[in-house]
């Protein structure tokens, strides 16, 4: 029997799940709500790699995602003068079995572009179903809408919406991010408080206008005082700026409260930290003052002991945020969407068994793809100016000699590891390449 399913959040995971559910069973009645008035088309660059590639191909969207890619030419580690110390080219995307070092991947897509690809595809799929099968099933997007209360029973979930309406669903899917409000409503306060594992790092993201000196490479710069800066421009008219405050106990406690301040006050705090960081940080903090897409947060991972509570299930960052340092957040959300859809199809009306199977199937990819590959976890770069100068010199020498593996080891990165995990196969969710059939 078809299910009535509410998806909370229209980021990447929500529309992707809506598309997969319709492909699995066109009779499903799917509602997606989003607290913003429209699709959020902003945001920074996302990776698609590993198991996410065959999933996208199976959904018939790999070409559309490839067309939306940012054409980034590689990555450079630079010193305070902008001199390149080490450089890597684009890392080819791997479909199966490897993950690890690789800032610049074959599939680099702006968040807003990726959201639109899946949103448009879900709408197109519903239109196709309507033409082929009539009014069977439904897909509805509701913007400027939130869920304010969940009342669970054995038969489903009564959801109270921000407009006061109450509706019953067979299943509620929380796809509303690392700080999921749905998770807070569905799980106990203790579980919700303990699920976030901080990395002791704080990050700010925003865009500034591109200038002539901004080439198509990504750039990483380490400044004294446990500060890191990254920029990404690719072939776009804007330059993405990423500011990181690495492990610093005093600043860590201070910035926990900064994130709760009004936007302008947050900017002031970040400007105070980075105005004297060197390289081009003067330009970056000036651009921060006028940008309208500034976002900052504490970097961490979400580890849940159970991925569902009753008929409410967690998807993507709400249940297993791996942190930006893994580069696997988007891919994990697609893996989760695929497995959740497959288990619902496999178990029919037994939603409880489907959710337990989803939880069980996700444990292996979570163990592998939430694993940190150095960097943020080891805090490998020194914080003093002398230490940075010495490390930069060593990296430059190793890069000049092209001693890649040793260079990566000194830099604190690890080479790719082979994991051998394969996606489970489900009837109705083929991962074959449709273009070759």
């Amino acid at each position: 029997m078809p299910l009535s399913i509410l998806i909370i959040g229209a980021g990447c995971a929500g529309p992707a799940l809506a598309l997969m559910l319709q492909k699995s069973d066109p009779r499903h009645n799917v509602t997606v709500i989003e607290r913003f008035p429209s699709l959020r088309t902003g945001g920074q660059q996302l990776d698609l790699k590993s198991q996410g590639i065959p999933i996208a191909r199976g959904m018939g969207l790999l070409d559309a995602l490839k067309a939306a890619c940012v054409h980034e030419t590689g990555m450079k580690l630079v010193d305070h003068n902008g001199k390149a110390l080490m450089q890597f080219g684009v890392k080819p995307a791997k479909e199966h079995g490897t993950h690890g070092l690789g800032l610049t991947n074959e599939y680099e897509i702006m968040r807003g572009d990726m959201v639109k690809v899946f949103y448009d595809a879900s709408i197109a799929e519903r239109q196709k179903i309507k033409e082929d099968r009539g009014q069977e099933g439904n897909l509805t997007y509701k913007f400027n809408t939130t869920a304010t209360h969940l009342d669970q029973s054995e038969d489903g979930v009564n959801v109270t919406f921000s407009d006061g309406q109450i509706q019953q669903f067979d299943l509620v899917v929380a796809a509303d991010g690392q700080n999921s409000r749905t998770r807070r409503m569905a799980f106990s306060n203790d579980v919700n408080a303990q699920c976030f594992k901080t990395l002791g790092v704080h990050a700010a993201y925003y865009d500034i206008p591109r200038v002539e000196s901004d080439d198509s490479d990504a750039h990483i710069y380490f400044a004294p005082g446990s500060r890191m800066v990254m920029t990404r421009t690719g072939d776009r008219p804007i330059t993405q700026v990423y500011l990181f405050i690495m492990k610093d106990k005093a600043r860590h406690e201070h910035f926990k409260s900064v994130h709760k301040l009004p936007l302008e006050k947050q900017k002031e705090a970040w400007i105070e930290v980075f105005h004297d960081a060197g390289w081009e940080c003067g330009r970056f903090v000036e651009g921060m003052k006028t940008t309208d897409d500034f976002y900052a947060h504490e970097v961490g991972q979400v580890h849940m002991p159970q991925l569902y509570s009753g008929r409410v299930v967690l998807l993507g960052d709400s249940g297993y945020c791996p942190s930006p340092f893994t580069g696997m957040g988007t891919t994990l959300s697609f893996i989760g969407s695929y497995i959740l859809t497959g288990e619902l199809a496999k178990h029919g009306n037994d939603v409880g068994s489907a959710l337990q199977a989803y939880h069980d199937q996700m444990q292996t990819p979570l163990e592998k793809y939430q694993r940190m590959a150095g960097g943020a976890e080891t805090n490998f770069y020194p914080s003093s100016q002398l230490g940075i100068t010495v490390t930069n010199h060593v990296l430059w020498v190793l890069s000049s000699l092209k001693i890649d593996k040793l260079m990566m080891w000194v830099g604190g990165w690890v080479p790719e590891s082979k994991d051998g995990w394969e996606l489970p196969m489900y009837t109705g969710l083929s991962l074959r390449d449709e273009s070759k059939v």
Side-chain angles (χ1 to χ4, degrees), residues 40 43 65 145 169 188 190 201 223 231 250 286 324 332 344:
R40 289 175 290 163
L65 291 170
T145 302
F169 295 91
S188 71
D190 287 343
V201 176
T231 63
E286 283 300 312
L332 265 179
L344 287 170

Side-chain angles (χ1 to χ4, degrees), residues 57-228:
R57 179 186 292 118
M59 297 299 103
L61 294 180
L62 195 58
D63 287 344
L65 291 170
K66 187 177 293 186
C69 279
V70 174
H71 298 291
E72 195 170 72
T73 49
M75 182 272 282
K76 294 175 183 173
L77 177 66
V78 301
D79 65 11
H80 68 281
N81 293 316
K83 175 185 176 183
L85 303 169
M86 55 193 291
Q87 185 169 359
F88 296 99
V90 175
K91 173 187 165 187
K94 297 285 174 62
E95 293 194 13
H96 300 287
T98 58
H99 66 288
L101 176 68
L103 173 66
T104 295
N105 290 280
E106 183 178 350
Y107 293 94
E108 297 278 353
I109 305 162
M110 297 302 292
R111 180 193 174 280
D113 293 339
M114 183 177 288
V115 169
K116 194 170 187 309
V117 166
F118 278 91
Y119 171 80
D120 289 347
S122 68
I123 296 295
E125 182 70 17
R126 174 46 51 186
Q127 184 60 37
K128 181 176 179 295
I129 292 170
K130 186 179 294 185
E131 292 171 357
D132 293 343
R133 305 172 66 115
Q135 295 297 323
E136 195 173 32
N138 194 30
L139 171 65
T140 303
Y141 281 90
K142 293 183 177 180
F143 294 95
N144 205 26
T145 302
T146 61
T148 60
H149 183 71
L150 306 176
D151 184 16
Q152 295 211 54
S153 67
E154 291 184 2
D155 300 324
V157 187
N158 286 319
V159 180
T160 303
F161 293 106
S162 49
D163 61 3
Q165 294 188 31
I166 300 175
Q167 187 175 346
Q168 186 177 50
F169 295 91
D170 299 312
L171 178 65
V172 172
V173 182
D176 49 348
Q178 171 183 307
N179 299 314
S180 172
R181 299 178 182 182
T182 314
R183 185 182 66 227
R184 293 201 296 268
M185 289 189 286
F187 291 82
S188 71
N189 290 333
D190 287 343
V191 170
N192 191 63
Q194 295 172 13
C195 74
F196 182 75
K197 311 298 182 183
T198 184
L199 297 179
V201 176
H202 296 264
Y205 319 96
Y206 58 98
D207 295 338
I208 61 174
R210 179 176 186 156
V211 298
E212 188 175 349
S213 60
D214 292 337
D215 60 30
S216 298
D217 284 335
H219 297 78
I220 294 180
Y221 165 67
F222 289 92
S226 301
R227 294 171 291 181
M228 185 176 87

